[in-house]
Amino acid sequence: MEPIGFSDIQSLARQESSRLHHYFIGVEHLFIALTKLRGGLTAAVLEEHGLSPRFVRHSIREIIEPYQDPRYWVGFPETPRTVRVLEMAQSYAGHNTPSERDLLMAILDEGDSVVIRVLAEMDVDLVGLRETAASLPNVGQVSVPEVPILGQVELTPDQRHVLQQMFRSYGQVQTVRELTGGYSGARILLVRPVRDDGRHDAAVVVKLDDRDSVLYERRRYDLHVKDRLPPKTARLVDFPTAPDGSAIGGLKYTFVGRLEDSEPVNLREYASHRSVGELHRLIREVFEFFGPNWWLQREQYRFGVWREYEHVLPPALVIDVLADVRPDPEGHVLEPFKSWSRLPEVMPGEIVTLSGLTVQKLHPEQGRMQLAAGSQSRSEAVNRCSKVEVRGLDLSTRRHFRGEVVEALVGRVILTRDDLLMRSVQDLEPQFSPFMKLIPSRHPALEDLPNPLLHVSELLERQIQGFLSTIHGDLHLGNILVGPNGDAWLIDFGWTREGHTLFDWAMLETSLLVEIGSRRMEPGWDGVWNLIALIEAINRGDDRVLHEDHPAVPVLSVVWTVRQIVQECLAQPDRWDEYFIALALIALRVLDWQSETIDGRRLAFLIAALAMKEAQKPFRTDGGDWPDLTQTDLRTGL
Amino acid sequence: MHDTELAIMVMSGPNDGQVIYLSQQQGHGTIEPDGTWSLVLGRRDECDVTILFDIQVSRHHAILSLAPNQTLTLTDNGSSNGTFIGRERIQEAAPLERGQLFRLGRTWLRVQPEMDKY
């Protein structure tokens, strides 16, 4: 047993500071860290004075507020006041490392920090508080146990360390299994913590990912999810675990509800091991549980499609960095929120200067990073648009960090989005030319389909009259969990935001068809075309297809349920183009999911083609009169 | 000659606890014909008091002036996010006490009650 050290307190303070996007260590972060020590002196002193540590933290955070600024520096500098407080704490400790009490006394004695102002505002008796802090005996041993990890799931040392930190108050942790899913490289595990006395706690779902993503997800959760959850669901109760010196961090989804001795499964597993038929009920249940606070908010939202959907597509450009070249003021300067990323003006080979883009993701070992528009808008998806992948960086000599705004980076364009999409389609071994306008039909009941690759820019330029609501942002089958008593829960809030309501449902339909449907058809392109013909009937609202003899029919009837939900979420009744635009772009996203089978990706490509065709007409084909396209408000610039 | 000096302490943010010393003799600020000493506070480097690391602070955010009778006045200079004394947003010139907290953007500041001599 290793006692809580000064470095644990500093690490908690850094976590608090990251959470608020401050990235410096103020006295307020140190104090919040002290209040969070389990069984610590500060919590006991506050409670002695009738204050809940949680409420004190909340009050301080309300005053200091999260920042929206770009990050100004690497690391966590201490403020001048923090330096003074730490010096005082050191003088109280003499030759020892300062204890929790030394630090608490120093904060109270310095007497001029935000912490003191907040406590004074709460009418706390500061003199009395100081006396209690000086005299209260140590509550007990505050400690960091080294937790053994048992189970079959293989973990890297970093991942083990995060799990140990996360469950530091337990006797041991058993890894039950890895839940499949997560295309981002994150690992989602089911683990069962066991107490010191051998009692098993309920299984929890843990996500391990790079530390920035984990901190970011917690932030999305605080902003959009926390206050809008139905009573029974998965929650993020604790702060993210992001140990010092570790590139990864972890999040713990805790289930509220009955889950005693049982294990949740995700819908993907549920469909393959149990019953596809049950999915109707579960998906309905998710809609009814979350709907009132999420998808049914129905705020009018008129937007250019690119604002919500460009980020699902491959990067607009891939650029090889030219380290020694100075920016050319006469040359091509690319800035976010300009239409360049959506128009094929920039050609491979061209030398460009990137300006004002924000670092979104770093891959130091591969010398790559991803840039995008940055943070400034009400619609958060737009921050991920204008995506550029930068390669050939030497990140050992030139440091970058997430959130940094890159002012002038010169590089040569290697690939455009069109090239990337074209490559993905060539990997599908197509029986048609991916450069042709039309894809010749291979099914008697279908006409030729438009080639979606040639319509991407046009679709991104369309305007949608839709609804804005809280959305999950990554609603695939792996992110819906089912407990044994049959309740459905959502996990993974890394993309949760205010966004276009139909985004989630287009994602779920794509996931259903690609991940379950493609495994229930004959292999090869013929099987794909046969399934597409059935989907086309669903698009027409023809439910006779649900009685056909095809192994994918149970999946199609779940798609039918999704469509009924979509119907309730359309901004204008029967204007299904709002949905098909979303579906076409989201299906294209699947093309570079390398973990998906080739038939799954082929199906996704033709789903996109069929949706693209449907998106070109405003009403469902079973309706009688179609209005003249030029008289609608569908396009910009007309 | 007697120097006129002010010390301003940053009370929040990454520079919390920093003290900025200003002195007429060292050429900080401007002296009006009536003897009033004016200091510009803002994000720009050339301000007498530069507030870094706060996107809510405007370039020339506010003016702090010290009249010959030693009274302090704080004036918002058309900033986008406002100047506050305590919780009150000030519209134009407002009297400021030494030791009273005021805020530009989200950065809290205080004119120190007594000039510390070093």
Side-chain angles (χ1 to χ4, degrees):
Chain A
M1 301 276 271
E2 164 198 348
I4 275 272
F6 193 56
S7 65
D8 287 299
I9 296 170
Q10 287 177 309
S11 144
L12 278 170
R14 276 193 289 272
Q15 283 181 31
E16 175 68 20
S17 182
S18 308
R19 208 175 83 89
L20 294 164
H21 292 211
H22 288 179
Y23 307 113
F24 61 87
I25 301 299
V27 177
E28 56 276 22
H29 305 116
L30 285 175
F31 185 77
I32 287 176
L34 293 182
T35 67
K36 284 183 359 197
L37 296 178
R38 215 179 275 194
L41 175 75
T42 309
V45 168
L46 291 173
E47 276 161 4
E48 188 78 15
H49 284 254
L51 296 162
S52 108
R54 184 183 289 265
F55 180 60
V56 173
R57 284 199 289 275
H58 171 81
S59 309
I60 295 176
R61 287 187 192 125
E62 209 175 56
I63 296 295
I64 59 183
E65 291 185 291
Y67 288 4
Q68 265 106 43
D69 307 28
R71 191 171 172 168
Y72 296 104
W73 45 70
V74 182
F76 290 83
E78 288 159 359
T79 65
R81 197 181 303 282
T82 298
V83 172
R84 273 205 293 282
V85 164
L86 292 178
E87 281 166 7
M88 286 166 74
Q90 186 61 63
S91 76
Y92 298 164
H95 293 294
N96 302 318
T97 312
S99 65
E100 185 193 348
R101 193 189 306 270
D102 295 328
L103 193 51
L104 177 60
M105 294 300 287
I107 292 172
L108 295 175
D109 288 345
E110 192 274 341
D112 214 10
S113 62
V114 176
V115 175
I116 300 298
R117 295 207 294 276
V118 171
L119 290 174
E121 215 171 51
M122 292 166 76
D123 286 329
V124 174
D125 166 17
L126 286 165
V127 176
L129 199 71
R130 191 191 178 284
E131 276 169 19
T132 313
S135 60
L136 199 70
N138 279 334
V139 199
Q141 188 65 7
V142 190
S143 55
V144 192
E146 177 74 14
V147 189
I149 296 178
L150 311 173
Q152 299 301 312
V153 179
E154 282 200 31
L155 297 168
T156 66
D158 263 4
Q159 291 168 343
R160 293 182 70 83
H161 184 54
V162 170
L163 275 186
Q164 282 172 334
Q165 288 277 317
M166 189 178 277
F167 296 101
R168 56 201 285 173
S169 61
Y170 283 88
Q172 57 166 269
V173 181
Q174 293 171 356
T175 56
V176 180
R177 66 202 158 87
E178 181 151 15
L179 295 168
T180 50
Y183 295 89
S184 54
R187 299 187 74 182
I188 297 182
L189 309 176
L190 187 66
V191 306
R192 184 181 294 287
V194 182
R195 299 191 187 202
D196 286 328
D197 60 7
R199 266 195 302 144
H200 287 216
D201 269 10
V204 291
V205 175
V206 169
K207 179 176 176 180
L208 301 172
D209 203 350
D210 70 78
R211 53 182 288 142
D212 284 337
S213 306
V214 156
L215 295 172
Y216 185 80
E217 175 169 347
R218 171 67 207 209
R219 182 100 191 94
R220 314 254 55 75
Y221 177 85
D222 284 343
L223 283 175
H224 299 300
V225 184
K226 196 169 59 183
D227 302 327
R228 297 187 172 158
L229 286 175
K232 285 191 300 179
T233 189
R235 288 165 197 274
L236 290 176
V237 178
D238 299 328
F239 287 99
T241 307
D244 263 3
S246 167
I248 64 160
L251 283 171
K252 184 160 73 177
Y253 304 95
T254 308
F255 296 93
V256 178
R258 285 182 302 125
L259 199 80
E260 288 83 27
D261 220 20
S262 50
E263 290 172 13
V265 292
N266 65 36
L267 282 197
R268 196 182 294 142
E269 297 169 309
Y270 196 89
S272 56
H273 301 314
R274 302 191 199 175
S275 124
V276 175
E278 273 288 284
L279 296 191
H280 297 278
R281 184 183 63 74
L282 293 165
I283 287 171
R284 257 281 153 203
E285 188 175 300
V286 165
F287 181 62
E288 271 153 25
F289 268 19
F290 288 83
N293 286 325
W294 285 31
W295 305 288
L296 291 172
Q297 287 167 347
R298 295 175 165 271
E299 194 182 330
Q300 293 286 339
Y301 181 40
R302 190 184 161 84
F303 61 97
V305 169
W306 65 273
R307 299 181 73 87
E308 291 289 321
Y309 291 93
E310 201 215 295
H311 75 276
V312 306
L313 296 171
L317 296 172
V318 179
I319 280 175
D320 203 359
V321 79
L322 298 169
D324 303 322
V325 179
R326 300 221 140 264
D328 173 10
E330 303 293 306
H332 212 142
V333 179
L334 305 180
E335 290 169 282
F337 302 115
K338 301 281 165 70
S339 56
W340 62 269
S341 60
R342 314 193 300 279
L343 296 172
E345 294 172 7
V346 183
M347 302 301 285
E350 202 170 323
I351 291 178
V352 294
T353 303
L354 304 176
S355 170
L357 288 157
T358 304
V359 178
Q360 299 276 351
K361 214 159 178 121
L362 286 161
H363 305 275
E365 61 296 339
Q366 295 147 16
R368 285 194 295 125
M369 66 179 178
Q370 205 162 66
L371 309 178
S375 57
Q376 40 194 312
S377 167
R378 169 184 181 212
S379 146
E380 291 168 44
V382 84
N383 296 333
R384 303 292 180 125
C385 79
S386 303
K387 198 160 64 181
V388 178
E389 184 175 316
V390 181
R391 295 184 183 170
L393 287 162
D394 182 358
L395 291 168
S396 60
T397 57
R398 182 168 176 170
R399 290 208 53 178
H400 289 281
F401 53 90
R402 187 168 153 141
E404 174 191 359
V405 179
V406 176
E407 277 315 331
L409 191 74
V410 183
R412 187 188 305 278
V413 176
I414 328 173
L415 293 164
T416 64
R417 174 178 295 146
D418 288 345
D419 303 329
L420 292 167
L421 285 168
M422 199 59 83
R423 283 186 179 189
S424 311
V425 175
Q426 273 156 349
D427 286 345
L428 304 181
E429 299 161 23
Q431 298 163 316
F432 48 87
S433 158
F435 301 95
M436 297 278 284
K437 270 186 84 169
L438 287 176
I439 303 165
S441 167
R442 304 262 300 174
H443 190 281
L446 289 173
E447 296 168 17
D448 295 348
L449 297 178
N451 180 353
L453 300 193
L454 306 185
H455 295 277
V456 170
S457 306
E458 171 199 321
L459 222 53
L460 290 174
E461 291 301 319
R462 295 257 297 250
Q463 293 281 313
I464 285 184
Q465 181 64 54
F467 284 135
L468 183 78
S469 65
T470 304
I471 60 172
H472 179 274
D474 199 12
L475 194 64
H476 59 68
L477 294 171
N479 282 338
I480 304 179
L481 299 190
V482 191
N485 47 348
D487 298 325
W489 292 303
L490 300 183
I491 57 165
D492 193 350
F493 305 104
W495 281 94
T496 302
R497 62 178 187 272
E498 301 295 305
H500 182 215
T501 303
L502 299 186
F503 186 100
D504 281 344
W505 303 102
M507 182 78 215
L508 189 60
E509 175 172 339
T510 306
S511 174
L512 276 165
L513 288 169
V514 172
E515 296 180 73
I516 308 179
S518 75
R519 286 154 183 74
R520 289 169 168 254
M521 63 187 199
E522 319 88 274
W525 279 106
D526 288 344
V528 175
W529 278 102
N530 287 338
L531 186 50
I532 286 291
L534 299 178
I535 298 169
E536 196 267 346
I538 295 220
N539 289 354
R540 279 187 278 112
D542 180 356
D543 63 358
R544 281 171 305 175
V545 71
L546 302 180
H547 304 291
E548 294 233 356
D549 181 25
H550 186 285
V553 162
V555 185
L556 293 176
S557 60
V558 183
V559 170
W560 190 271
T561 301
V562 171
R563 295 292 178 91
Q564 286 172 329
I565 291 171
V566 170
Q567 177 95 56
E568 291 176 52
C569 298
L570 289 177
Q572 302 170 70
D574 293 326
R575 279 296 297 268
W576 279 84
D577 52 337
E578 183 193 347
Y579 181 65
F580 286 118
I581 291 170
L583 187 63
L585 292 169
I586 285 182
L588 281 181
R589 173 197 201 180
V590 178
L591 291 186
D592 60 359
W593 282 4
Q594 289 310 317
S595 56
E596 195 41 70
T597 62
I598 185 166
D599 280 340
R601 284 177 283 139
R602 284 168 170 166
L603 180 62
F605 180 72
L606 288 190
I607 291 170
L610 182 61
M612 200 81 66
K613 183 181 159 123
E614 302 287 357
Q616 286 167 355
K617 51 199 179 196
F619 290 96
R620 222 147 82 164
T621 23
D622 61 348
D625 299 325
W626 302 347
D628 184 353
L629 251 187
T630 55
Q631 287 172 17
T632 73
D633 59 356
L634 277 178
R635 286 156 189 268
T636 49
L638 286 184
Chain B
M1 195 191 99
H2 175 69
D3 188 15
T4 306
E5 299 176 332
L6 278 179
I8 294 178
M9 185 185 259
V10 181
M11 298 299 291
S12 71
N15 288 326
D16 182 25
Q18 182 197 8
V19 182
I20 302 157
Y21 294 97
L22 299 152
S23 118
Q24 279 189 5
Q25 276 185 5
Q26 289 179 30
H28 294 121
T30 46
I31 301 164
E32 318 287 337
D34 69 353
T36 300
W37 184 31
S38 292
L39 298 155
V40 180
L41 289 70
R43 204 173 65 206
R44 274 284 175 84
D45 273 351
E46 74 258 20
C47 292
D48 303 300
V49 177
T50 304
I51 313 285
L52 295 171
F53 314 127
D54 182 351
I55 44 170
Q56 295 180 24
V57 171
S58 300
R59 276 166 286 200
H60 296 136
H61 193 110
I63 293 160
L64 177 67
S65 44
L66 179 66
N69 67 2
Q70 296 300 303
T71 59
L72 287 165
T73 305
L74 186 63
T75 312
D76 183 70
N77 193 29
S79 69
S80 355
N81 294 303
T83 303
F84 297 76
I85 296 180
R87 285 165 196 248
E88 297 288 315
R89 181 164 183 165
I90 60 171
Q91 295 309 328
E92 286 167 14
L96 180 75
E97 301 289 331
R98 286 169 190 257
Q100 197 175 17
L101 264 66
F102 64 98
R103 173 162 73 85
L104 318 188
R106 61 161 184 257
T107 302
W108 287 94
L109 300 161
R110 178 176 75 191
V111 178
Q112 295 295 79
E114 297 249 347
M115 180 71 193
D116 294 320
K117 298 282 180 195
Y118 286 90

